[in-house]
């Protein structure tokens, strides 16, 4: 049944891609790079489906998203609809606004975009706090998590004693896994339970966003957990959790390196100090790279069909992407696990009193 | 690279979302879930402990029962043995008593026989003496004159005979 679903997902994705490729064919060649980058980067609208109607007109269905900008010490609200296919730049105070390559730029009243030698746009940008596709899917994930766990909590408060049924039967092993095999196995016994809520939230937040990212059509398909801003923010939270509750011994170990001869101390202390930042940095890069790479591989496999312009390669591509989807499902939970486990490990190292 | 450039908007929204999730779930979801799990775990472990204890108790009672049965059997054996001993003792005693009684009766009978025999002999001796005297008197009356001397001689002879 699940395989049928995945095949269905694949068909839908390939339909979308076909629509894009038709568009590309008018230009001559398939722009696989642009297509993939478009799929894995953030966007100001949530693309639903493109098709050509019976009159031969292309139809683009997408969900407009709110645009929130900070300019001239003031917040500005728009609908992203007013920027797509707009003939005139939109007024923002005394300036004008144009959406180009997924970013907002301030322009003159004609909407002139100034590019430098490398083709980068040199116009100034307002601060962008828009609800983009990624933010929208994150809010969706938040609502899902709240729905799941608040109802689970209610159910637990009422029927906590008998063995879990239905949805809780799936959640419970995961919750117990995070509590016992991540928190309690890495962090000192007396401190572990304090970090369990944080680790549980982290684990489920990353996992559900990974899963939403795998779903290839609306309301999935955002590459949130493969976005560096997202992973960086979570890494910052991990950094705070590691260092705020750190024990005295941890800091002593980093800045004094007890028991080492002086010349080694000179080498070791800067290394340890940099290590404080490298640990969350590695967390950030690992999650970002794994999720993005998975998306790129699946999109590339599908793009092969349109690059080679052959229907005969399609079964191979579909089969390979099927395998990749399976792998992605594994990676989704695995990366959430690794992120949480390493955070717990670092917390355990920083809060423990005996090890250093 | 576009991909590696963090965007402040997304960072802001991610932080906000994560903080909201963390606060709401920590306040309303995790405590009751974790508490329920803990309570269930403790209940199960208590129940297991209780079952273990009950099992041990049953085993102990079984042992006690077996011990009591063993003791009772031993006691029974001892009582039986004692009874058997008592029986043989009583038999022995009775036999002994009976033996003694018969011995006594026999002796008594013997004594009586002896006494009667003695009495009979004495009577016989007297009768024989008297008869001898009468006979001698008759003889001497006819033949002898000095009967005193003859009586004396006859008595001497009779004593010497003593009729044993």
């Amino acid at each position: 049944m699940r395989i049928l679903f995945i095949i269905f997902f694949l068909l839908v994705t390939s339909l979308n891609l076909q629509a894009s490729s038709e568009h590309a064919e008018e230009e001559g060649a398939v722009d696989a790079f642009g297509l993939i980058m478009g799929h894995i980067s953030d966007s100001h609208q949530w693309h639903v489906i493109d098709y050509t109607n019976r009159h031969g007109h292309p139809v683009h269905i997408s969900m407009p998203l709110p645009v929130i900008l900070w300019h001239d010490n003031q917040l500005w609200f728009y609908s992203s609809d007013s920027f797509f296919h707009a003939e005139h730049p939109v007024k923002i105070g005394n300036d004008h606004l144009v959406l180009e390559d997924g970013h907002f730029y301030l322009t003159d009243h004609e909407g002139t975009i100034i590019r430098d030698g490398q083709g980068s746009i040199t116009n100034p940008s307002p601060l962008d706090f828009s609800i983009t596709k990624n933010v929208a899917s994150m809010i969706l994930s938040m609502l899902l998590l709240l729905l799941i766990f608040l109802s689970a909590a209610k159910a637990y408060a009422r029927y906590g004693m008998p063995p879990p049924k239905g949805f809780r039967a799936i959640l419970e092993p995961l919750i117990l896994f995070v509590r016992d095999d991540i928190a309690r196995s890495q962090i000192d016994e007396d401190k572990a339970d304090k970090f369990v809520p944080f680790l549980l939230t982290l684990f489920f937040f990353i996992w559900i966003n990974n899963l939403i990212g795998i779903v290839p059509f609306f309301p999935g398909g955002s590459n949130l957990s493969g976005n560096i801003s997202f992973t960086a923010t979570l890494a910052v939270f991990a950094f705070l959790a590691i260092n705020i509750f750190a024990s005295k011994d941890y800091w002593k170990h980093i800045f004094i390196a007890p028991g080492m001869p002086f010349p080694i101390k000179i080498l070791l202390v800067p290394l340890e100090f940099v290590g404080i930042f490298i640990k969350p940095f590695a967390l950030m890069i690992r999650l970002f790279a794994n999720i993005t790479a998975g998306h790129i591989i699946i999109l590339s496999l599908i793009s092969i069909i349109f690059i080679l312009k052959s229907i005969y390669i399609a079964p191979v591509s579909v089969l390979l992407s099927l395998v990749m989807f399976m792998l992605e499902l594994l990676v989704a939970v695995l990366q959430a696990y690794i992120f949480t486990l390493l955070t717990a490990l670092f917390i355990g190292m920083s809060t423990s009193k005996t090890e250093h | 690279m576009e991909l590696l450039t963090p965007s402040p908007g997304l960072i802001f929204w991610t932080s906000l979302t994560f903080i909201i999730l963390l606060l709401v779930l920590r306040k309303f979801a995790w405590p009751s879930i974790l508490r329920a799990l803990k309570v269930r775990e403790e209940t199960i472990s208590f129940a297991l402990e209780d079952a273990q204890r009950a099992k041990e108790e049953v085993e102990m009672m079984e042992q006690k029962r077996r011990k009591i049965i063993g003791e009772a059997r031993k006691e029974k054996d001892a009582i039986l043995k004692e009874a058997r001993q008592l029986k043989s003792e009583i038999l022995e005693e009775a036999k002994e008593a009976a033996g003694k009684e018969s011995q006594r009766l026999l002796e008594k009978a013997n004594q009586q026989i002896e006494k009667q025999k003695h009495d009979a002999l004495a009577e016989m001796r007297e009768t024989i003496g008297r008869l001898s005297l009468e006979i001698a008197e008759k003889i001497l009356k006819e033949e002898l004159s000095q009967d005193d001397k003859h009586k004396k001689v006859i008595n001497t002879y009779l004593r010497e005979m003593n009729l044993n």
Side-chain angles (χ1 to χ4, degrees):
Chain A
M1 198 60 200
R2 197 185 295 158
I3 290 171
L4 281 179
F5 267 122
I6 290 171
I7 289 171
F8 175 63
F9 295 165
L10 283 171
L11 283 176
V12 173
T13 349
S14 29
L15 278 179
N16 281 357
L17 287 166
Q18 202 158 13
S20 321
S21 71
E22 267 168 22
H23 175 69
E25 263 166 22
E26 288 162 18
E27 297 164 9
V30 182
D31 178 19
F33 179 76
L35 178 118
I36 291 170
M37 287 317 260
H39 270 84
I40 61 173
S41 9
D42 207 352
S43 157
H44 281 280
Q45 61 178 358
W46 207 337
H47 176 256
V48 181
I49 195 165
D50 285 346
Y51 63 94
T52 312
N53 65 12
R54 61 202 166 94
H55 306 297
H57 300 300
V59 178
H60 306 280
I61 298 176
S62 50
M63 195 173 113
L65 295 166
V67 172
I68 304 164
L69 300 173
W70 178 256
H71 180 62
D72 281 347
N73 299 321
Q74 194 185 341
L75 280 176
W76 299 80
F77 297 92
Y78 302 93
S79 161
S80 68
D81 234 11
S82 51
F83 294 95
F84 287 100
H85 319 293
E87 285 172 17
H88 301 289
V90 179
K91 256 182 93 72
I92 177 167
N94 297 322
D95 295 299
H96 292 80
L97 208 55
V98 158
L99 180 65
E100 188 76 25
D101 298 342
H103 291 284
F104 288 103
Y105 295 101
L106 296 171
T107 60
D108 53 15
H109 67 282
E110 281 173 356
T112 323
I113 295 288
I114 307 154
R115 290 177 192 269
D116 64 5
Q118 278 88 45
S120 330
I121 297 163
T122 53
N123 292 50
S125 287
L127 261 181
D128 188 354
F129 290 106
S130 305
I131 308 291
T132 57
K133 186 170 86 172
N134 280 343
V135 177
S137 89
M138 184 161 59
I139 290 171
L140 175 74
S141 75
M142 177 177 80
L143 294 178
L144 278 175
L145 285 177
L146 289 178
L147 180 76
I148 291 167
F149 287 107
L150 291 181
S151 60
K154 210 184 276 174
Y156 269 109
R158 206 177 297 166
Y159 323 103
M161 211 39 87
K165 272 185 205 156
F167 210 59
R168 287 186 295 141
I170 306 168
L171 289 180
E172 191 168 310
L174 291 165
I175 293 172
L176 286 176
F177 179 71
V178 172
R179 193 194 67 182
D180 296 338
D181 294 321
I182 294 181
R184 289 192 181 164
S185 72
Q186 303 299 340
I187 306 173
D188 283 1
E189 219 166 278
D190 51 330
K191 298 188 192 86
D193 283 3
K194 195 171 72 177
F195 291 99
V196 168
F198 171 71
L199 295 171
L200 278 169
T201 312
L202 196 63
F203 176 80
F204 284 106
F205 190 47
I206 295 173
W207 189 35
I208 199 161
N209 278 307
N210 287 347
L211 287 179
I212 289 176
I214 296 173
V215 176
F217 51 80
F218 183 83
S222 61
N223 185 29
L224 176 62
S225 47
N227 189 299
I228 197 101
S229 312
F230 177 80
T231 61
T233 313
L234 291 184
V236 168
F237 280 109
F239 173 82
L240 293 176
I242 293 163
N243 292 296
I244 286 178
F245 302 100
S247 64
K248 243 182 235 167
D249 294 339
Y250 170 74
W251 296 117
K252 213 159 85 184
H253 177 73
I254 287 173
F255 290 114
I256 301 174
M260 296 288 172
F262 187 72
I264 293 179
K265 270 185 192 181
I266 292 177
L267 272 171
L268 211 58
V269 169
L271 270 177
E272 287 279 0
F273 183 72
V274 172
I276 302 175
F277 301 99
I278 284 182
K279 284 170 195 166
F281 190 80
L283 289 177
M284 168 183 92
I285 295 293
R286 186 179 299 108
L287 183 59
F288 158 75
N290 273 287
I291 303 302
T292 303
H295 287 214
I296 289 176
I297 290 171
I298 289 178
L299 289 164
S300 307
L301 286 170
I302 297 293
S303 298
I304 287 176
I305 304 170
F306 305 102
I307 292 169
L308 298 180
K309 292 201 177 86
S310 158
I311 192 71
Y312 302 110
I313 199 75
V316 179
S317 279
V318 169
L319 203 70
L320 284 175
S321 3
L322 187 67
V323 173
M324 273 312 295
F325 263 107
M326 303 291 192
L327 198 65
E328 280 290 276
L329 280 175
L330 175 68
V331 167
V333 70
L334 194 68
Q335 287 305 321
Y337 164 62
I338 290 175
F339 196 107
T340 319
L341 177 77
L342 288 178
T343 307
L345 180 79
F346 297 145
I347 290 173
M349 279 161 69
S350 75
T351 53
S352 108
K353 279 197 173 131
T354 47
E355 247 178 83
H356 298 293
Chain B
M1 262 291 267
E2 160 91 35
L3 271 182
L4 288 170
T5 324
S7 71
L10 191 52
I11 289 176
F12 167 75
W13 288 112
T14 309
S15 316
L16 189 70
T17 312
F18 190 73
I19 288 171
I20 291 173
L21 264 181
L22 190 59
L23 292 181
V24 172
L25 292 181
R26 218 172 81 151
K27 184 100 174 69
F28 298 109
W30 301 132
S32 64
I33 292 174
L34 292 171
R35 201 189 311 121
L37 292 179
K38 200 175 173 188
V39 166
R40 190 197 304 154
E41 270 167 13
E42 277 170 4
T43 312
I44 289 172
S45 77
F46 276 141
L48 285 176
E49 233 167 76
D50 273 356
Q52 182 66 27
R53 212 175 297 140
K55 205 176 138 194
E56 271 165 21
E57 220 162 275
V58 165
E59 215 156 277
M60 223 169 66
M61 298 241 293
E62 176 69 17
Q63 254 173 14
K64 221 177 184 179
R65 191 183 68 97
R66 227 173 273 155
K67 205 173 140 196
I68 288 172
I69 287 177
E71 264 169 26
R73 194 171 289 152
K74 226 183 268 172
E75 209 167 318
K76 186 196 81 178
D77 285 351
I79 288 170
L80 273 177
K81 200 175 154 197
E82 208 176 318
R84 229 172 271 143
Q85 207 178 339
L86 208 62
K87 184 192 86 180
S88 62
E89 253 170 47
I90 288 169
L91 271 176
E92 201 76 22
E93 228 167 80
K95 235 185 251 172
E96 207 172 306
K100 259 183 200 165
E101 185 64 23
S102 59
Q103 190 74 29
R104 198 178 58 83
L105 286 174
L106 215 64
E107 257 168 43
K108 207 177 164 188
N110 276 348
Q111 264 171 9
Q112 252 169 1
I113 288 166
E114 195 71 25
K115 201 183 157 205
Q116 278 175 359
K117 195 177 106 188
H118 203 265
D119 286 354
L121 277 178
E123 209 181 295
M124 222 160 72
R125 197 187 290 148
E126 204 153 309
T127 314
I128 290 169
R130 203 169 21 90
L131 282 175
S132 317
L133 258 181
E134 276 170 17
I135 294 162
E137 204 176 32
K138 274 170 188 164
I139 297 166
L140 283 176
K141 257 174 194 171
E142 284 172 24
E143 294 180 14
L144 296 171
S145 54
Q146 294 171 300
D147 82 4
D148 273 352
K149 204 182 166 186
H150 292 274
K151 213 180 184 175
K152 205 177 170 186
V153 171
I154 290 164
N155 264 341
T156 310
Y157 285 141
L158 273 176
R159 212 170 280 139
E160 268 169 20
M161 273 162 67
N162 210 7
L163 276 178
N164 276 329

